[in-house]
Amino acid sequence: MDTWTFGWTLALIGMGGTMLVLWILSLLILLIKKLFPYRPEEPAAKKG
Amino acid sequence: MESALFSGLQGLFLGIANLSLGQVIMILVGSALLYLGIKKGYEPLLLVPIGFGAILVNIPLAEMMEKDGFLRFFYDTGVLTEVFPLLIFIGIGAMTDFQPLLENPKIILLGAAGQFGIFLTLLLALAVGFDKLDAVAVAIIGACDGPTAIYVSSKFAPHLLGAISVAAYSYMSLVPLIQPPIMRLLTTDRERKIVMGLVRQPVSKTTKILFPIVVTIFASILAPKGAPLIGTVMLGNLMKESGVVDRLKSASENEIANIVTLLLGLCIGATMEADRFLRAQTLLILGLGFVAISLDTAVGVLFGKLMCFLTGGKINPLIGAAGISAFPMSARVVQVEGQKYNKKNYLLMHAMSANAGGQIGSVIAAAVMLSVLQGMGIIGG
């Protein structure tokens, strides 16, 4: 594989892949929050 | 007797006789790193051991990086095996609070945009003549995440480890100087004044515990080559959030992190031998590192502008600059910059969300990169 094919392939899949993985992660976080919502009687979440 | 005395005295001057100009320069470079760490306070935890390691390894005839040398032992066992950066990652996970991100998950996309500099710099590194794996290692400076840069470069370009690590940590500490001009250049006065409402969505403890487990399973299955990076960060975070292994959490963020930081710093310094470091290539790496972090910031802000447009002006594009992994420094830069244009604007919590996204983003970007390289057959399976 020549250098530029390598570079562009890695750059495009890398950027797209990173964006896709993080987007799916954001959906998973929303799903977990829906399944396990915060209940007021829980001790307030600590801020670090 | 006379000749014995003469030989003995000669031994005392052997070091001076063997001192090369390159070694003198590198001792000065090591001293400069010590100055930056001690006097200027730039990443002292790393720059002090790195600077000292650079001095030690350039002492003539001390042979600290030769076989059985004191620094060689730690380098071989901790850096070449990638154990040191991974142990640091456990500590980082144990210290990181992902709550701002969990409160506002869509902001995680800024953490992805903040990594684009890695991939754009890869193209630049190839253009200036680095070979494929060297270019990957140089580009990863754009993760703005020291341990990730060390992990990737020790795996694929150990001969560039010193220059890459110094660039990564130096630029991380220079984020408050590098980012603001780019943020101002790419945003309008109106955009910088956008007030973002307070997002307070309390998160359940169950969510905080499930988050590291879900991220590990999901992201590692998608990008298996990055599982050590993702897994160690998330293990540290799970220990923090579960609250049941306080001793392990405390050891990870204190004793283990401190010991490993010291040894890792020394080992990085030990790779800065004059004949390896004093090359035009080192200057190129420093230049590309600067470009990488600038591009991360630029793409982050531009993505912030896109989100601003798509949300009808509800997102201040400045927070896009915090999509890099320099936590929490980058978020603070956004807060300071935002308040210059609107004193009543408190962007800190939003920027912290983006910054936490950047921390995950940098690890995911490296993991994706490794898996794509594996898929392309560039690295072994």
Side-chain angles (χ1 to χ4, degrees):
Chain A
M1 184 186 303
D2 73 83
T3 301
W4 287 109
T5 308
F6 163 80
W8 281 106
T9 307
L10 185 53
L12 293 177
I13 302 181
M15 289 191 279
T18 304
M19 189 58 85
L20 180 70
V21 171
L22 289 183
W23 177 65
I24 298 173
L25 270 183
S26 72
L27 297 182
L28 285 175
I29 295 170
L30 287 173
L31 179 68
I32 298 172
K33 283 172 72 173
K34 273 251 187 293
L35 292 174
F36 304 99
Y38 174 79
R39 299 196 193 289
E41 63 269 23
E42 261 188 85
K46 272 192 312 194
K47 304 295 285 183
Chain B
M1 181 66 188
E2 265 178 36
S3 75
L5 274 174
F6 182 72
S7 304
L9 277 174
Q10 214 177 15
L12 282 180
F13 293 99
L14 274 179
I16 296 171
N18 283 281
L19 187 64
S20 68
L21 177 63
Q23 286 168 323
V24 173
I25 294 173
M26 285 313 297
I27 288 171
L28 291 175
V29 169
S31 306
L33 293 177
L34 289 178
Y35 174 80
L36 291 176
I38 296 168
K39 187 77 179 169
K40 297 286 181 184
Y42 292 160
E43 298 284 344
L45 291 177
L46 258 300
L47 288 192
V48 170
I50 290 176
F52 210 81
I55 292 174
L56 285 178
V57 80
N58 285 289
I59 302 291
L61 306 179
E63 297 178 344
M64 293 202 197
M65 274 300 268
E66 299 303 313
K67 189 174 177 293
D68 299 329
F70 149 65
L71 294 175
R72 169 60 65 181
F73 169 77
F74 290 119
Y75 180 80
D76 286 348
T77 50
V79 177
L80 282 188
T81 58
E82 300 138 26
V83 166
F84 283 171
L86 294 179
L87 287 173
I88 297 259
F89 270 128
I90 298 178
I92 289 175
M95 285 182 243
T96 304
D97 185 358
F98 286 114
Q99 180 157 332
L101 182 67
L102 295 174
E103 287 177 0
N104 196 5
K106 67 174 182 288
I107 294 292
I108 202 172
L109 294 180
L110 290 170
Q115 313 308 319
F116 281 15
I118 299 174
F119 301 100
L120 299 173
T121 306
L122 168 81
L123 296 173
L124 287 175
L126 291 171
V128 297
F130 283 95
D131 73 27
K132 290 172 184 167
L133 289 180
D134 285 0
V136 167
V138 172
I140 208 73
I141 298 172
C144 216
D145 176 345
T148 301
I150 293 166
Y151 180 84
V152 173
S153 53
S154 62
K155 217 173 170 63
F156 302 125
H159 55 288
L160 302 179
L161 181 63
I164 288 172
S165 309
V166 168
Y169 282 105
S170 305
Y171 292 135
M172 274 168 63
S173 66
L174 292 175
V175 157
L177 298 177
I178 296 172
Q179 288 201 311
I182 300 168
M183 292 157 73
R184 288 193 285 266
L185 185 72
L186 295 175
T187 51
T188 63
D189 205 47
R190 217 183 86 211
E191 286 170 337
R192 291 192 287 265
K193 286 179 178 163
I194 292 175
V195 176
M196 290 179 70
L198 203 61
V199 179
R200 280 309 319 260
Q201 296 176 346
V203 177
S204 68
K205 187 171 171 65
T206 312
T207 301
K208 290 162 101 180
I209 291 174
L210 283 177
F211 172 70
I213 301 171
V214 169
V215 171
T216 303
I217 296 171
F218 167 73
S220 299
I221 287 174
L222 270 186
K225 272 280 171 186
L229 293 171
I230 299 162
T232 44
V233 175
M234 291 301 147
L235 169 65
N237 193 249
L238 178 63
M239 293 195 296
K240 169 185 161 65
E241 298 301 349
S242 68
V244 294
V245 283
D246 277 346
R247 276 169 49 198
L248 299 185
K249 177 210 162 230
S250 169
S252 301
E253 64 184 351
N254 295 301
E255 292 88 350
I256 296 174
N258 289 341
I259 292 169
V260 176
T261 301
L262 168 64
L263 296 178
L264 185 61
L266 273 175
C267 290
I268 293 167
T271 63
M272 295 167 68
E273 287 163 295
D275 52 347
R276 279 215 240 170
F277 198 83
L278 292 177
R279 295 177 179 181
Q281 198 182 42
T282 302
L283 287 178
L284 262 181
I285 291 171
L286 293 173
L288 286 168
F290 178 80
V291 170
I293 291 175
S294 303
L295 284 172
D296 283 339
T297 306
V299 179
V301 172
L302 291 175
F303 198 80
K305 283 168 82 90
L306 177 67
M307 288 179 87
C308 175
F309 173 74
L310 293 176
T311 57
K314 287 185 184 151
I315 287 185
N316 187 319
L318 289 180
I319 67 166
I324 63 172
S325 183
F327 187 90
M329 194 186 296
S330 186
R332 287 194 195 125
V333 170
V334 171
Q335 163 73 1
V336 170
E337 208 54 28
Q339 288 215 320
K340 277 185 193 165
Y341 296 90
N342 183 350
K343 290 252 180 289
K344 291 180 187 159
N345 205 357
Y346 289 92
L347 296 172
L348 188 64
M349 282 316 289
H350 303 285
M352 290 286 264
S353 304
N355 220 177
Q359 284 213 299
I360 295 183
S362 67
V363 174
I364 297 287
V368 167
M369 198 178 218
L370 296 179
S371 292
V372 177
L373 285 170
Q374 185 187 17
M376 293 162 88
I378 306 289
I379 59 174

